[in-house]
Amino acid sequence: MLSRRAVAFGLAGGSLVGCAPSRSYEDAVTPTWRLIDPDGPGFPARALVHAATLAANSHNTQPWRFAIEGQTIRIQPDFTRRTPVVDPDDHHLFASLGCAAETLLQAAPHYGWRAQIESFDRSGGVRLALERTARPDGGLAPAIPRRASTRGDYDGRPAPVAVLQALQRAGPGTVDTLLITDRARLEQATEFIVRGNAAQVRSPAFRRELKAWIRFDGAEAARHRDGLYAASSGNPTLPRALGALAFDLAFTETGETDKIVRQMRSSAGLAVFSAATNDPRGWLDAGRAYTRFALTADMAGLRTAFLNQPVEDAATRGPFAAWLGTSGRRPDLVVRFGQGPGLPRSLRRPVRDVLSA
């Protein structure tokens, strides 16, 4: 999910020279990844919507619409941005809405407001009510513009016990958060990730869908303001024709397996989130729990990245759940974490493009 894995574009027996980031990308990325100032002293609706758009989401499709109604903000699913191959039941779509809702909740105190979820509607949307509050010190808002799915290698160092305890506390509610840090268990988890990944790589439909959402160079990323910017996965940036060809040649089961094994071995641990119910409300709750976890991780200097293949592939999901011992719960999200360098960011659409009339 939620900002996909790296795609290796290096060709066997040679190398590709990537393009430098385009000026249009450079001009867009800085204002995108910061909390903006509100327009005037009143209700900071547009600033809060902008913060919510920085949330993690599947394939960076940004499958949401926002409506401002007085001092409430409604987040609705945008089914025109579905990914039906990787996400046929819209599980990740609703988890993405949960990420957006929790990001907004965490951003509100930064602007002197407090938000709470007021209701869920039958379409799967969520309504947040806001009221003024004293602007508190601390909180998770500073991590919002820093959080990203960092799909590179980490440094292999274990996370301190106090940090693991903070991560464990960050996720729950109705969602179970399972942290795996034992190296033997991580190797076993890797086997499930590799199994799910292999099924996806072998699927022509999956490959077509993933490639459609990759933005192969900065100019394409800036033009669309969505999708997976190649450089965000540590890959060369290329004009689309060349990038698509490189993808077809280099996105192989062997290459992806090697990368998954290497990146898992470089990670401090794995977190698996399982909601109480296997329905849109539960999936939304899983996205909320992940968001608190990811922001807490950032505050502790850790990177995070999704490895959702074993929950996306239906044939792998059941054995994976049994191995985890989730007591009948569906594993919703799988996230590795650790210390490592940052990578360039994918972009987000501007507020005007995600607001409903």
Side-chain angles (χ1 to χ4, degrees):
M1 163 183 171
L2 305 169
S3 297
R4 291 286 299 183
R5 71 193 70 112
V7 180
F9 294 152
L11 298 179
S15 63
L16 290 172
V17 178
C19 305
S22 71
R23 184 72 257 167
S24 55
Y25 167 83
E26 295 287 1
D27 289 344
V29 70
T30 299
T32 295
W33 285 97
R34 63 176 175 81
L35 295 180
I36 65 174
D37 294 329
D39 297 326
F43 180 50
R46 295 179 70 88
L48 288 170
V49 169
H50 172 261
T53 67
L54 302 182
N57 64 99
S58 182
H59 278 21
N60 194 27
T61 64
Q62 304 165 43
W64 43 52
R65 301 289 298 176
F66 298 84
I68 300 167
E69 302 164 346
Q71 290 182 188
T72 67
I73 296 176
R74 186 161 41 87
I75 308 175
Q76 293 292 129
D78 184 349
F79 292 110
T80 68
R81 290 178 164 265
R82 297 181 67 237
T83 47
V85 178
V86 73
D87 189 28
D89 59 359
D90 294 322
H91 170 279
H92 286 348
L93 186 151
F94 285 105
S96 299
L97 296 190
C99 293
E102 186 64 31
T103 301
L104 195 154
L105 287 167
Q106 297 297 335
H110 174 77
Y111 296 104
W113 290 74
R114 179 172 57 202
Q116 61 181 354
I117 292 182
E118 186 177 71
S119 63
F120 298 86
D121 61 42
R122 292 181 180 178
S123 70
V126 57
R127 182 182 176 94
L128 298 99
L130 291 103
E131 61 182 7
R132 282 197 177 277
T133 187
R135 186 178 298 188
D137 294 329
L140 295 176
I144 291 171
R146 299 194 304 255
R147 184 221 59 83
S149 292
T150 305
R151 297 177 292 278
D153 293 351
Y154 302 155
D155 66 9
R157 287 185 291 169
V161 172
V163 171
L164 293 174
Q165 292 172 340
L167 294 176
Q168 188 73 67
R169 291 192 300 268
T174 61
V175 177
D176 285 345
T177 304
L178 175 63
L179 297 186
I180 303 171
T181 57
D182 175 75
R183 299 317 304 187
R185 290 277 287 175
L186 287 171
E187 289 290 327
Q188 292 169 345
T190 300
E191 294 177 9
F192 287 102
I193 296 167
V194 166
R195 187 189 310 178
N197 179 78
Q200 292 180 332
V201 174
R202 294 170 193 159
S203 166
F206 173 84
R207 296 171 66 95
R208 285 193 299 270
E209 183 177 78
L210 176 59
K211 184 165 67 172
W213 283 102
I214 296 174
R215 308 304 177 221
F216 288 101
D217 66 11
E220 185 180 28
R223 186 166 63 252
H224 289 277
R225 301 288 295 247
D226 62 9
L228 305 167
Y229 180 35
S232 297
S233 299
N235 294 304
T237 57
L238 299 163
R240 183 159 193 92
L242 288 177
L245 175 62
F247 175 89
D248 290 338
L249 293 172
F251 186 60
T252 66
E253 184 178 338
T254 299
E256 290 295 292
T257 295
D258 291 346
K259 181 181 61 189
I260 290 167
V261 170
R262 184 185 72 247
Q263 292 185 346
M264 280 292 291
R265 289 176 178 170
S266 79
S267 299
L270 198 70
V272 183
F273 301 88
S274 301
T277 58
N278 186 24
D279 57 22
R281 173 68 182 270
W283 305 337
L284 192 145
D285 286 342
R288 292 185 60 198
Y290 154 76
T291 298
R292 293 191 297 274
F293 175 94
L295 296 178
T296 301
D298 179 272
M299 297 289 279
L302 298 179
R303 308 288 184 183
T304 60
F306 291 97
L307 284 173
N308 285 321
Q309 296 93 320
V311 301
E312 292 167 349
D313 177 55
T316 306
R317 188 186 310 137
F320 183 56
W323 176 79
L324 289 168
T326 54
S327 302
R329 291 189 176 203
R330 170 179 177 166
D332 290 296
L333 301 171
V334 181
V335 180
R336 67 185 182 97
F337 58 90
Q339 300 176 70
L343 288 170
R345 307 296 193 90
S346 291
L347 295 174
R348 297 294 193 269
R349 292 177 293 157
V351 169
R352 64 177 179 273
D353 289 353
V354 298
L355 281 178
S356 298

